[in-house]
mmCIF file of all heavy atoms in Angstrom:
data_model
loop_
_atom_site.group_PDB
_atom_site.id
_atom_site.type_symbol
_atom_site.label_atom_id
_atom_site.label_comp_id
_atom_site.label_asym_id
_atom_site.label_seq_id
_atom_site.Cartn_x
_atom_site.Cartn_y
_atom_site.Cartn_z
ATOM 1 N N ALA A 1 52.734 11.426 29.370
ATOM 2 C CA ALA A 1 51.320 11.720 29.128
ATOM 3 C C ALA A 1 50.888 12.771 30.145
ATOM 4 O O ALA A 1 50.529 12.445 31.273
ATOM 5 C CB ALA A 1 50.478 10.463 29.246
ATOM 6 N N ARG A 2 50.950 14.029 29.745
ATOM 7 C CA ARG A 2 50.594 15.134 30.640
ATOM 8 C C ARG A 2 49.212 15.713 30.335
ATOM 9 O O ARG A 2 48.505 16.130 31.233
ATOM 10 C CB ARG A 2 51.642 16.235 30.541
ATOM 11 C CG ARG A 2 53.008 15.791 31.015
ATOM 12 C CD ARG A 2 54.014 16.951 30.945
ATOM 13 N NE ARG A 2 55.331 16.484 31.247
ATOM 14 C CZ ARG A 2 56.312 16.326 30.351
ATOM 15 N NH1 ARG A 2 56.103 16.607 29.091
ATOM 16 N NH2 ARG A 2 57.491 15.887 30.706
ATOM 17 N N GLU A 3 48.859 15.772 29.055
ATOM 18 C CA GLU A 3 47.598 16.404 28.659
ATOM 19 C C GLU A 3 46.406 15.590 29.151
ATOM 20 O O GLU A 3 46.402 14.365 29.054
ATOM 21 C CB GLU A 3 47.532 16.539 27.126
ATOM 22 C CG GLU A 3 46.321 17.298 26.627
ATOM 23 C CD GLU A 3 46.282 18.734 27.112
ATOM 24 O OE1 GLU A 3 47.120 19.531 26.630
ATOM 25 O OE2 GLU A 3 45.445 19.052 27.971
ATOM 26 N N THR A 4 45.403 16.275 29.694
ATOM 27 C CA THR A 4 44.196 15.611 30.181
ATOM 28 C C THR A 4 42.926 16.194 29.567
ATOM 29 O O THR A 4 41.857 15.626 29.725
ATOM 30 C CB THR A 4 44.088 15.710 31.713
ATOM 31 O OG1 THR A 4 44.096 17.093 32.088
ATOM 32 C CG2 THR A 4 45.232 14.976 32.399
ATOM 33 N N LYS A 5 43.027 17.316 28.856
ATOM 34 C CA LYS A 5 41.849 17.994 28.320
ATOM 35 C C LYS A 5 41.558 17.575 26.881
ATOM 36 O O LYS A 5 42.475 17.402 26.084
ATOM 37 C CB LYS A 5 42.042 19.513 28.349
ATOM 38 C CG LYS A 5 42.108 20.089 29.746
ATOM 39 C CD LYS A 5 42.276 21.588 29.681
ATOM 40 C CE LYS A 5 43.745 21.841 29.916
ATOM 41 N NZ LYS A 5 44.214 23.151 29.738
ATOM 42 N N ARG A 6 40.258 17.481 26.567
ATOM 43 C CA ARG A 6 39.838 17.246 25.194
ATOM 44 C C ARG A 6 40.232 18.455 24.353
ATOM 45 O O ARG A 6 40.141 19.592 24.795
ATOM 46 C CB ARG A 6 38.333 17.031 25.121
ATOM 47 C CG ARG A 6 37.868 16.899 23.682
ATOM 48 C CD ARG A 6 36.475 16.341 23.566
ATOM 49 N NE ARG A 6 36.049 16.299 22.194
ATOM 50 C CZ ARG A 6 36.445 15.418 21.281
ATOM 51 N NH1 ARG A 6 37.310 14.488 21.611
ATOM 52 N NH2 ARG A 6 36.010 15.457 20.048
ATOM 53 N N ASP A 7 40.679 18.203 23.137
ATOM 54 C CA ASP A 7 41.139 19.229 22.206
ATOM 55 C C ASP A 7 42.309 20.031 22.769
ATOM 56 O O ASP A 7 42.529 21.181 22.392
ATOM 57 C CB ASP A 7 39.984 20.169 21.793
ATOM 58 C CG ASP A 7 38.929 19.442 20.991
ATOM 59 O OD1 ASP A 7 39.294 18.503 20.247
ATOM 60 O OD2 ASP A 7 37.746 19.788 21.103
ATOM 61 N N GLY A 8 43.070 19.400 23.656
ATOM 62 C CA GLY A 8 44.296 20.010 24.172
ATOM 63 C C GLY A 8 45.449 19.709 23.222
ATOM 64 O O GLY A 8 45.282 19.738 21.999
ATOM 65 N N GLN A 9 46.603 19.376 23.782
ATOM 66 C CA GLN A 9 47.794 19.119 22.981
ATOM 67 C C GLN A 9 48.369 17.723 23.275
ATOM 68 O O GLN A 9 49.513 17.596 23.692
ATOM 69 C CB GLN A 9 48.843 20.188 23.248
ATOM 70 C CG GLN A 9 48.390 21.573 22.864
ATOM 71 C CD GLN A 9 49.418 22.629 23.218
ATOM 72 O OE1 GLN A 9 50.065 22.568 24.265
ATOM 73 N NE2 GLN A 9 49.571 23.605 22.344
ATOM 74 N N PRO A 10 47.618 16.661 23.003
ATOM 75 C CA PRO A 10 48.164 15.324 23.260
ATOM 76 C C PRO A 10 49.346 14.993 22.367
ATOM 77 O O PRO A 10 50.140 14.120 22.688
ATOM 78 C CB PRO A 10 46.981 14.390 22.982
ATOM 79 C CG PRO A 10 46.109 15.152 22.052
ATOM 80 C CD PRO A 10 46.278 16.595 22.445
ATOM 81 N N TYR A 11 49.491 15.724 21.256
ATOM 82 C CA TYR A 11 50.599 15.492 20.339
ATOM 83 C C TYR A 11 51.949 15.857 20.954
ATOM 84 O O TYR A 11 52.987 15.465 20.443
ATOM 85 C CB TYR A 11 50.395 16.261 19.028
ATOM 86 C CG TYR A 11 50.060 17.719 19.213
ATOM 87 C CD1 TYR A 11 51.060 18.660 19.374
ATOM 88 C CD2 TYR A 11 48.740 18.147 19.233
ATOM 89 C CE1 TYR A 11 50.766 20.003 19.562
ATOM 90 C CE2 TYR A 11 48.430 19.484 19.409
ATOM 91 C CZ TYR A 11 49.447 20.413 19.576
ATOM 92 O OH TYR A 11 49.139 21.736 19.762
ATOM 93 N N LEU A 12 51.959 16.573 22.063
ATOM 94 C CA LEU A 12 53.211 16.850 22.768
ATOM 95 C C LEU A 12 53.601 15.689 23.685
ATOM 96 O O LEU A 12 54.704 15.656 24.205
ATOM 97 C CB LEU A 12 53.102 18.150 23.575
ATOM 98 C CG LEU A 12 52.889 19.419 22.749
ATOM 99 C CD1 LEU A 12 52.707 20.623 23.661
ATOM 100 C CD2 LEU A 12 54.032 19.641 21.769
ATOM 101 N N ASP A 13 52.685 14.763 23.896
ATOM 102 C CA ASP A 13 52.925 13.562 24.697
ATOM 103 C C ASP A 13 53.218 12.390 23.765
ATOM 104 O O ASP A 13 53.171 12.518 22.552
ATOM 105 C CB ASP A 13 51.666 13.208 25.512
ATOM 106 C CG ASP A 13 51.299 14.265 26.533
ATOM 107 O OD1 ASP A 13 52.182 15.033 26.949
ATOM 108 O OD2 ASP A 13 50.111 14.306 26.922
ATOM 109 N N ASP A 14 53.473 11.237 24.360
ATOM 110 C CA ASP A 14 53.470 10.001 23.582
ATOM 111 C C ASP A 14 52.008 9.724 23.272
ATOM 112 O O ASP A 14 51.174 9.663 24.184
ATOM 113 C CB ASP A 14 54.075 8.848 24.388
ATOM 114 C CG ASP A 14 55.564 9.051 24.595
ATOM 115 O OD1 ASP A 14 56.257 9.277 23.590
ATOM 116 O OD2 ASP A 14 56.020 8.976 25.739
ATOM 117 N N CYS A 15 51.682 9.624 22.011
ATOM 118 C CA CYS A 15 50.275 9.456 21.642
ATOM 119 C C CYS A 15 50.164 8.705 20.322
ATOM 120 O O CYS A 15 51.131 8.567 19.587
ATOM 121 C CB CYS A 15 49.571 10.805 21.540
ATOM 122 S SG CYS A 15 50.084 11.823 20.149
ATOM 123 N N ALA A 16 48.961 8.246 20.054
ATOM 124 C CA ALA A 16 48.637 7.640 18.763
ATOM 125 C C ALA A 16 48.005 8.736 17.917
ATOM 126 O O ALA A 16 47.158 9.479 18.388
ATOM 127 C CB ALA A 16 47.673 6.477 18.955
ATOM 128 N N GLU A 17 48.447 8.835 16.675
ATOM 129 C CA GLU A 17 47.917 9.844 15.753
ATOM 130 C C GLU A 17 47.624 9.178 14.417
ATOM 131 O O GLU A 17 48.361 8.302 13.987
ATOM 132 C CB GLU A 17 48.945 10.944 15.497
ATOM 133 C CG GLU A 17 49.391 11.690 16.719
ATOM 134 C CD GLU A 17 50.472 12.703 16.377
ATOM 135 O OE1 GLU A 17 51.528 12.293 15.848
ATOM 136 O OE2 GLU A 17 50.263 13.897 16.630
ATOM 137 N N ILE A 18 46.556 9.633 13.782
ATOM 138 C CA ILE A 18 46.278 9.177 12.424
ATOM 139 C C ILE A 18 45.700 10.353 11.652
ATOM 140 O O ILE A 18 44.965 11.173 12.208
ATOM 141 C CB ILE A 18 45.345 7.956 12.395
ATOM 142 C CG1 ILE A 18 45.292 7.388 10.987
ATOM 143 C CG2 ILE A 18 43.973 8.278 12.956
ATOM 144 C CD1 ILE A 18 44.846 5.969 10.908
ATOM 145 N N PHE A 19 46.059 10.424 10.369
ATOM 146 C CA PHE A 19 45.620 11.512 9.511
ATOM 147 C C PHE A 19 45.013 10.914 8.252
ATOM 148 O O PHE A 19 45.614 10.054 7.627
ATOM 149 C CB PHE A 19 46.797 12.428 9.157
ATOM 150 C CG PHE A 19 47.459 12.991 10.373
ATOM 151 C CD1 PHE A 19 48.511 12.323 10.979
ATOM 152 C CD2 PHE A 19 47.025 14.169 10.930
ATOM 153 C CE1 PHE A 19 49.114 12.813 12.116
ATOM 154 C CE2 PHE A 19 47.623 14.683 12.059
ATOM 155 C CZ PHE A 19 48.667 14.000 12.663
ATOM 156 N N PHE A 20 43.820 11.355 7.898
ATOM 157 C CA PHE A 20 43.132 10.890 6.702
ATOM 158 C C PHE A 20 43.185 11.979 5.652
ATOM 159 O O PHE A 20 42.760 13.104 5.903
ATOM 160 C CB PHE A 20 41.660 10.568 6.999
ATOM 161 C CG PHE A 20 41.471 9.407 7.917
ATOM 162 C CD1 PHE A 20 41.302 9.593 9.274
ATOM 163 C CD2 PHE A 20 41.453 8.115 7.417
ATOM 164 C CE1 PHE A 20 41.114 8.519 10.127
ATOM 165 C CE2 PHE A 20 41.261 7.037 8.254
ATOM 166 C CZ PHE A 20 41.097 7.237 9.614
ATOM 167 N N ILE A 21 43.692 11.642 4.480
ATOM 168 C CA ILE A 21 43.699 12.560 3.343
ATOM 169 C C ILE A 21 42.562 12.123 2.436
ATOM 170 O O ILE A 21 42.631 11.070 1.821
ATOM 171 C CB ILE A 21 45.044 12.509 2.601
ATOM 172 C CG1 ILE A 21 46.179 12.875 3.537
ATOM 173 C CG2 ILE A 21 45.008 13.414 1.376
ATOM 174 C CD1 ILE A 21 47.546 12.621 2.961
ATOM 175 N N THR A 22 41.513 12.931 2.374
ATOM 176 C CA THR A 22 40.328 12.526 1.624
ATOM 177 C C THR A 22 40.307 13.049 0.196
ATOM 178 O O THR A 22 39.549 12.574 -0.630
ATOM 179 C CB THR A 22 39.051 12.988 2.343
ATOM 180 O OG1 THR A 22 39.109 14.406 2.500
ATOM 181 C CG2 THR A 22 38.939 12.331 3.710
ATOM 182 N N ALA A 23 41.120 14.049 -0.105
ATOM 183 C CA ALA A 23 41.232 14.565 -1.471
ATOM 184 C C ALA A 23 42.479 13.942 -2.081
ATOM 185 O O ALA A 23 43.585 14.164 -1.592
ATOM 186 C CB ALA A 23 41.340 16.083 -1.461
ATOM 187 N N PRO A 24 42.345 13.154 -3.143
ATOM 188 C CA PRO A 24 43.459 12.358 -3.667
ATOM 189 C C PRO A 24 44.738 13.145 -3.967
ATOM 190 O O PRO A 24 45.819 12.625 -3.788
ATOM 191 C CB PRO A 24 42.897 11.745 -4.944
ATOM 192 C CG PRO A 24 41.435 11.741 -4.746
ATOM 193 C CD PRO A 24 41.119 12.934 -3.892
ATOM 194 N N ASP A 25 44.637 14.356 -4.444
ATOM 195 C CA ASP A 25 45.847 15.083 -4.827
ATOM 196 C C ASP A 25 46.222 16.182 -3.846
ATOM 197 O O ASP A 25 46.877 17.146 -4.226
ATOM 198 C CB ASP A 25 45.676 15.680 -6.226
ATOM 199 C CG ASP A 25 45.650 14.586 -7.287
ATOM 200 O OD1 ASP A 25 46.357 13.578 -7.094
ATOM 201 O OD2 ASP A 25 44.925 14.728 -8.267
ATOM 202 N N SER A 26 45.827 16.062 -2.591
ATOM 203 C CA SER A 26 46.110 17.144 -1.652
ATOM 204 C C SER A 26 46.599 16.620 -0.317
ATOM 205 O O SER A 26 45.894 15.902 0.381
ATOM 206 C CB SER A 26 44.850 17.990 -1.429
ATOM 207 O OG SER A 26 45.116 18.961 -0.461
ATOM 208 N N LEU A 27 47.806 16.999 0.044
ATOM 209 C CA LEU A 27 48.295 16.758 1.397
ATOM 210 C C LEU A 27 47.981 17.959 2.276
ATOM 211 O O LEU A 27 48.219 17.937 3.473
ATOM 212 C CB LEU A 27 49.810 16.520 1.384
ATOM 213 C CG LEU A 27 50.262 15.202 0.796
ATOM 214 C CD1 LEU A 27 51.783 15.156 0.747
ATOM 215 C CD2 LEU A 27 49.740 14.038 1.593
ATOM 216 N N ASP A 28 47.458 19.019 1.680
ATOM 217 C CA ASP A 28 47.187 20.250 2.417
ATOM 218 C C ASP A 28 45.891 20.183 3.214
ATOM 219 O O ASP A 28 45.636 21.035 4.050
ATOM 220 C CB ASP A 28 47.135 21.448 1.462
ATOM 221 C CG ASP A 28 48.470 21.659 0.762
ATOM 222 O OD1 ASP A 28 49.511 21.350 1.369
ATOM 223 O OD2 ASP A 28 48.460 22.114 -0.389
ATOM 224 N N THR A 29 45.040 19.212 2.932
ATOM 225 C CA THR A 29 43.768 19.078 3.636
ATOM 226 C C THR A 29 43.678 17.663 4.195
ATOM 227 O O THR A 29 43.823 16.692 3.460
ATOM 228 C CB THR A 29 42.581 19.323 2.672
ATOM 229 O OG1 THR A 29 42.741 20.610 2.079
ATOM 230 C CG2 THR A 29 41.268 19.253 3.413
ATOM 231 N N HIS A 30 43.478 17.575 5.493
ATOM 232 C CA HIS A 30 43.327 16.251 6.085
ATOM 233 C C HIS A 30 42.570 16.337 7.407
ATOM 234 O O HIS A 30 42.462 17.392 8.004
ATOM 235 C CB HIS A 30 44.682 15.558 6.283
ATOM 236 C CG HIS A 30 45.635 16.297 7.170
ATOM 237 N ND1 HIS A 30 46.543 17.191 6.691
ATOM 238 C CD2 HIS A 30 45.817 16.261 8.507
ATOM 239 C CE1 HIS A 30 47.261 17.674 7.692
ATOM 240 N NE2 HIS A 30 46.833 17.135 8.803
ATOM 241 N N PHE A 31 42.028 15.191 7.809
ATOM 242 C CA PHE A 31 41.404 15.030 9.121
ATOM 243 C C PHE A 31 42.435 14.384 10.023
ATOM 244 O O PHE A 31 43.137 13.473 9.595
ATOM 245 C CB PHE A 31 40.188 14.096 9.047
ATOM 246 C CG PHE A 31 39.066 14.629 8.211
ATOM 247 C CD1 PHE A 31 38.988 14.312 6.864
ATOM 248 C CD2 PHE A 31 38.097 15.433 8.767
ATOM 249 C CE1 PHE A 31 37.941 14.778 6.085
ATOM 250 C CE2 PHE A 31 37.051 15.914 7.997
ATOM 251 C CZ PHE A 31 36.977 15.590 6.652
ATOM 252 N N GLY A 32 42.522 14.815 11.258
ATOM 253 C CA GLY A 32 43.482 14.232 12.181
ATOM 254 C C GLY A 32 42.830 13.845 13.492
ATOM 255 O O GLY A 32 41.893 14.504 13.954
ATOM 256 N N TYR A 33 43.325 12.759 14.054
ATOM 257 C CA TYR A 33 42.856 12.275 15.345
ATOM 258 C C TYR A 33 44.082 11.908 16.179
ATOM 259 O O TYR A 33 44.969 11.208 15.702
ATOM 260 C CB TYR A 33 41.965 11.038 15.171
ATOM 261 C CG TYR A 33 40.764 11.315 14.303
ATOM 262 C CD1 TYR A 33 40.813 11.075 12.933
ATOM 263 C CD2 TYR A 33 39.602 11.826 14.841
ATOM 264 C CE1 TYR A 33 39.720 11.332 12.123
ATOM 265 C CE2 TYR A 33 38.496 12.091 14.035
ATOM 266 C CZ TYR A 33 38.569 11.843 12.686
ATOM 267 O OH TYR A 33 37.491 12.103 11.885
ATOM 268 N N GLU A 34 44.097 12.370 17.423
ATOM 269 C CA GLU A 34 45.221 12.103 18.324
ATOM 270 C C GLU A 34 44.665 11.678 19.682
ATOM 271 O O GLU A 34 43.660 12.207 20.140
ATOM 272 C CB GLU A 34 46.063 13.366 18.500
ATOM 273 C CG GLU A 34 46.558 13.927 17.188
ATOM 274 C CD GLU A 34 47.008 15.378 17.267
ATOM 275 O OE1 GLU A 34 46.483 16.136 18.095
ATOM 276 O OE2 GLU A 34 47.887 15.727 16.475
ATOM 277 N N LEU A 35 45.350 10.744 20.336
ATOM 278 C CA LEU A 35 44.905 10.229 21.623
ATOM 279 C C LEU A 35 46.130 9.841 22.443
ATOM 280 O O LEU A 35 46.997 9.119 21.956
ATOM 281 C CB LEU A 35 44.010 8.999 21.410
ATOM 282 C CG LEU A 35 43.576 8.219 22.640
ATOM 283 C CD1 LEU A 35 42.595 9.033 23.475
ATOM 284 C CD2 LEU A 35 42.962 6.888 22.227
ATOM 285 N N ASN A 36 46.194 10.331 23.689
ATOM 286 C CA ASN A 36 47.295 9.920 24.559
ATOM 287 C C ASN A 36 46.800 8.918 25.599
ATOM 288 O O ASN A 36 45.630 8.523 25.597
ATOM 289 C CB ASN A 36 47.987 11.134 25.196
ATOM 290 C CG ASN A 36 47.150 11.810 26.275
ATOM 291 O OD1 ASN A 36 46.065 11.352 26.652
ATOM 292 N ND2 ASN A 36 47.648 12.931 26.775
ATOM 293 N N LEU A 37 47.673 8.508 26.514
ATOM 294 C CA LEU A 37 47.306 7.495 27.507
ATOM 295 C C LEU A 37 46.318 8.009 28.551
ATOM 296 O O LEU A 37 45.694 7.218 29.251
ATOM 297 C CB LEU A 37 48.557 6.960 28.200
ATOM 298 C CG LEU A 37 49.442 6.107 27.305
ATOM 299 C CD1 LEU A 37 50.743 5.761 27.993
ATOM 300 C CD2 LEU A 37 48.720 4.856 26.864
ATOM 301 N N ASN A 38 46.159 9.318 28.668
ATOM 302 C CA ASN A 38 45.155 9.892 29.571
ATOM 303 C C ASN A 38 43.793 10.004 28.893
ATOM 304 O O ASN A 38 42.885 10.608 29.441
ATOM 305 C CB ASN A 38 45.584 11.288 30.048
ATOM 306 C CG ASN A 38 46.774 11.227 30.970
ATOM 307 O OD1 ASN A 38 46.960 10.267 31.700
ATOM 308 N ND2 ASN A 38 47.596 12.253 30.931
ATOM 309 N N LYS A 39 43.685 9.464 27.694
ATOM 310 C CA LYS A 39 42.474 9.538 26.873
ATOM 311 C C LYS A 39 42.131 10.983 26.504
ATOM 312 O O LYS A 39 40.978 11.317 26.278
ATOM 313 C CB LYS A 39 41.294 8.853 27.552
ATOM 314 C CG LYS A 39 41.518 7.368 27.770
ATOM 315 C CD LYS A 39 40.324 6.711 28.400
ATOM 316 C CE LYS A 39 40.627 5.248 28.665
ATOM 317 N NZ LYS A 39 39.520 4.593 29.361
ATOM 318 N N ALA A 40 43.144 11.829 26.461
ATOM 319 C CA ALA A 40 42.967 13.199 25.968
ATOM 320 C C ALA A 40 42.945 13.132 24.447
ATOM 321 O O ALA A 40 43.913 12.702 23.828
ATOM 322 C CB ALA A 40 44.100 14.103 26.451
ATOM 323 N N VAL A 41 41.834 13.535 23.852
ATOM 324 C CA VAL A 41 41.604 13.409 22.421
ATOM 325 C C VAL A 41 41.677 14.772 21.755
ATOM 326 O O VAL A 41 41.201 15.766 22.296
ATOM 327 C CB VAL A 41 40.204 12.801 22.153
ATOM 328 C CG1 VAL A 41 39.916 12.727 20.671
ATOM 329 C CG2 VAL A 41 40.096 11.436 22.783
ATOM 330 N N ASN A 42 42.268 14.810 20.595
ATOM 331 C CA ASN A 42 42.260 15.995 19.751
ATOM 332 C C ASN A 42 41.867 15.533 18.359
ATOM 333 O O ASN A 42 42.506 14.660 17.794
ATOM 334 C CB ASN A 42 43.636 16.672 19.729
ATOM 335 C CG ASN A 42 43.626 17.972 18.976
ATOM 336 O OD1 ASN A 42 42.605 18.637 18.880
ATOM 337 N ND2 ASN A 42 44.770 18.346 18.442
ATOM 338 N N ASP A 43 40.774 16.082 17.839
ATOM 339 C CA ASP A 43 40.367 15.778 16.470
ATOM 340 C C ASP A 43 40.206 17.104 15.729
ATOM 341 O O ASP A 43 39.767 18.080 16.301
ATOM 342 C CB ASP A 43 39.102 14.925 16.408
ATOM 343 C CG ASP A 43 37.943 15.516 17.193
ATOM 344 O OD1 ASP A 43 38.156 16.425 18.014
ATOM 345 O OD2 ASP A 43 36.815 15.065 16.998
ATOM 346 N N PHE A 44 40.621 17.115 14.463
ATOM 347 C CA PHE A 44 40.656 18.385 13.749
ATOM 348 C C PHE A 44 40.579 18.183 12.243
ATOM 349 O O PHE A 44 40.792 17.077 11.745
ATOM 350 C CB PHE A 44 41.936 19.156 14.094
ATOM 351 C CG PHE A 44 43.194 18.387 13.768
ATOM 352 C CD1 PHE A 44 43.779 18.512 12.512
ATOM 353 C CD2 PHE A 44 43.769 17.546 14.688
ATOM 354 C CE1 PHE A 44 44.916 17.789 12.197
ATOM 355 C CE2 PHE A 44 44.916 16.830 14.387
ATOM 356 C CZ PHE A 44 45.485 16.954 13.129
ATOM 357 N N ILE A 45 40.301 19.269 11.558
ATOM 358 C CA ILE A 45 40.388 19.330 10.104
ATOM 359 C C ILE A 45 41.449 20.370 9.786
ATOM 360 O O ILE A 45 41.413 21.491 10.304
ATOM 361 C CB ILE A 45 39.056 19.740 9.456
ATOM 362 C CG1 ILE A 45 37.974 18.729 9.814
ATOM 363 C CG2 ILE A 45 39.212 19.859 7.949
ATOM 364 C CD1 ILE A 45 36.586 19.138 9.369
ATOM 365 N N PHE A 46 42.423 20.006 8.965
ATOM 366 C CA PHE A 46 43.508 20.924 8.597
ATOM 367 C C PHE A 46 43.332 21.341 7.130
ATOM 368 O O PHE A 46 43.189 20.503 6.264
ATOM 369 C CB PHE A 46 44.859 20.227 8.787
ATOM 370 C CG PHE A 46 46.032 21.089 8.392
ATOM 371 C CD1 PHE A 46 46.511 22.047 9.263
ATOM 372 C CD2 PHE A 46 46.622 20.930 7.159
ATOM 373 C CE1 PHE A 46 47.593 22.833 8.893
ATOM 374 C CE2 PHE A 46 47.692 21.729 6.777
ATOM 375 C CZ PHE A 46 48.173 22.682 7.653
ATOM 376 N N PHE A 47 43.299 22.636 6.889
ATOM 377 C CA PHE A 47 43.212 23.173 5.527
ATOM 378 C C PHE A 47 44.494 23.883 5.194
ATOM 379 O O PHE A 47 45.006 24.654 5.967
ATOM 380 C CB PHE A 47 42.049 24.157 5.375
ATOM 381 C CG PHE A 47 40.714 23.512 5.549
ATOM 382 C CD1 PHE A 47 40.003 23.652 6.713
ATOM 383 C CD2 PHE A 47 40.173 22.752 4.528
ATOM 384 C CE1 PHE A 47 38.760 23.067 6.882
ATOM 385 C CE2 PHE A 47 38.928 22.150 4.695
ATOM 386 C CZ PHE A 47 38.223 22.309 5.876
#
C-alpha cells in the first residue's frame, strides 16, 4: 500500500475494487471505485 493521494493509483497496490455496469448491454461503460489500506480512494466513470 504505497498510494496515499485521492484519485491516485491505488489499483497498483493491494486494494478493494468494484465496478458497476449500469447499462445492461455494455461492458464499455462503468463506474469504478478503488480503495487501498491507506484509504487512498479512486472513483471514476469509464466510457
